[in-house]
Amino acid sequence: MGGDQVDEAVAHASRVLRTAAGLDWSVKAGDLEWSCLKTAEHIACDLVAYAGQLTGRAADAWVPFEISLDEGSGPADAISAIEATGGLLSAVIRTTPPGVRGFHPYPHGSANATGFAAMGVAEVLLHTYDIARALGVDAEPQDELCEAVLAWIFPQVTPARGPEEQWATLLWATGRGTLPGRPRLDKWRWHNSLEIPAGRIALREVSAAAAADLAVGGTGGLSWIEGGPFDGTRTAAQMVTKAYESGVHRPEWGMFALVRVEDEVAVGGMGFHGPPDEEGMVEVGYDLAVAARGCGYASEALDSLSAWALDRPGVSALLAVIEPGNAASQGVVTRTGYVRVSDREENRAYVRRG
């Protein structure tokens, strides 16, 4: 998900909307309160706003500007504005350094370049559909674009089972359609990945799309230290992928990449085996590449992740289960406030409570 996908979405919108440029764009777009012309203006506003959040390095608010079509502008002008602002966003995404985040309210207050790309693609595809629906033209995009949007910013949505269902699933996930066996949504929200600071390390939530890449031997879009990612990280990615495909993955309660802040190099993985159980217990696990061990990274990251988790509603304790011979890992948990409890089968168990 990046600049190429933004370009593809904008090209799709341009093709669709130009077929209807001679129609009446003063009618309402789909179920929106805006006219078709105002909705097209909104697409362009979103695209340039997302670019501004990244270039302006906005930390806690929207950059205070917006664009509007000149008075007297028509459908062809609006389409040109979408093409121009889409080009700005795709260029910004391609040139934004790793680790840069900009303010966005949903759900954690910021998003990275990949997140803004996914949101930009979603805005273009969905509002193009709103306009096209009102004007009576077809607006179905490529399956791959819909699948990518779902995997990057709708991890809570059970994925479509076949290529022909991707567009219908995206419409359902945004309250625009129905799917068999799923109640229609009247409220919805996408999910941008969470980042938790931990001193020298940043814990960055691994999306379903990035986990799928890691699971089959890829990098997950990260630059890894020599020898990384280690086996445990790939195994965790496989667990996230399986949970997502089964419809039981819960954002925030999956896997995080441990990224060294000074050089944006990933050194390991850490995360949860799933959401809290009925008693409020969450199991944690972690894994470092060999070249990153002995530097204190795991302790810093686990302490921050544990504090974050214990501050969440419904969480009462964290559990770490470690093999008896893994003295280094036992040292990590004891340094971060975990105490030993009754063994779990042949392994040692440690708990940190709120």
Side-chain angles (χ1 to χ4, degrees):
M1 176 61 70
D4 289 350
Q5 286 67 40
V6 173
D7 288 342
E8 186 178 344
V10 169
H12 161 78
S14 179
R15 288 192 300 269
V16 170
L17 298 178
R18 287 193 187 284
T19 65
L23 301 178
D24 181 8
W25 283 42
S26 67
V27 299
K28 287 186 177 181
D31 295 329
L32 305 179
E33 293 299 318
W34 300 323
S35 69
C36 291
L37 188 63
K38 184 65 177 178
T39 302
E41 180 185 72
H42 173 76
I43 296 173
C45 285
D46 278 342
L47 294 173
V48 77
Y50 290 168
Q53 293 305 99
L54 288 170
T55 58
R57 306 295 192 260
D60 53 15
W62 292 101
V63 176
F65 78 98
E66 60 182 4
I67 66 167
S68 61
L69 297 174
D70 290 342
E71 185 176 352
S73 295
D77 302 311
I79 296 167
S80 295
I82 292 171
E83 292 171 332
T85 53
L88 290 173
L89 178 58
S90 64
V92 167
I93 289 167
R94 290 188 179 99
T95 55
T96 297
V100 170
R101 297 178 74 91
F103 171 80
H104 190 281
Y106 305 136
H108 304 295
S110 69
N112 59 13
T114 300
F116 278 112
M119 290 187 290
V121 170
E123 296 280 3
V124 172
L125 297 185
L126 295 167
H127 287 315
T128 295
Y129 166 79
D130 294 332
I131 297 169
R133 177 185 172 196
L135 300 177
V137 298
D138 179 64
E140 183 170 351
Q142 293 285 336
D143 290 333
E144 291 80 2
L145 267 184
C146 303
E147 184 177 17
V149 170
L150 288 165
W152 281 105
I153 56 173
F154 288 95
Q156 74 279 14
V157 172
T158 302
R161 298 305 178 191
E164 70 282 355
E165 299 177 7
Q166 303 294 338
W167 178 227
T169 302
L170 182 56
L171 291 177
W172 172 83
T174 56
R176 289 172 167 81
T178 59
L179 282 178
R182 304 192 197 188
R184 185 171 183 128
L185 300 179
D186 57 3
K187 294 181 180 180
W188 60 273
R189 187 166 287 177
W190 52 46
H191 177 87
N192 278 302
S193 61
L194 170 66
E195 178 168 313
I196 301 173
R200 297 173 296 164
I201 295 294
L203 292 107
R204 295 192 181 142
E205 186 178 7
V206 175
S207 71
D213 183 55
L214 281 167
V216 295
T219 65
L222 299 163
S223 297
W224 286 88
I225 196 170
E226 182 181 357
F230 205 62
D231 296 344
T233 298
R234 294 207 187 276
T235 299
Q238 292 167 5
M239 292 171 60
V240 170
T241 301
K242 183 178 179 180
Y244 173 66
E245 293 174 347
S246 302
V248 298
H249 174 63
R250 294 295 175 266
E252 304 175 6
W253 300 107
M255 173 184 172
F256 294 77
L258 306 185
V259 179
R260 198 162 54 195
V261 175
E262 65 176 3
D263 56 8
E264 288 296 317
V265 169
V267 298
M270 182 174 290
F272 308 102
H273 290 203
D277 63 19
E278 296 179 354
E279 298 178 353
M281 180 78 77
V282 186
E283 185 173 351
V284 298
Y286 46 89
D287 181 60
L288 287 181
V290 174
R293 295 175 186 175
C295 301
Y297 296 143
S299 297
E300 292 179 25
L302 182 60
D303 189 43
S304 292
L305 182 65
S306 301
W308 175 86
L310 289 169
D311 197 40
R312 309 300 293 173
V315 178
S316 60
L318 302 177
L319 169 69
V321 179
I322 305 171
E323 295 177 350
N326 192 342
S329 187
Q330 293 168 35
V332 168
V333 294
T334 55
R335 283 192 296 272
T336 53
Y338 287 71
V339 296
R340 189 173 175 185
V341 294
S342 300
D343 290 353
R344 298 295 178 97
E345 297 179 351
E346 298 180 355
N347 294 319
R348 296 182 179 179
Y350 296 80
V351 168
R352 175 168 161 173
R353 302 189 182 278

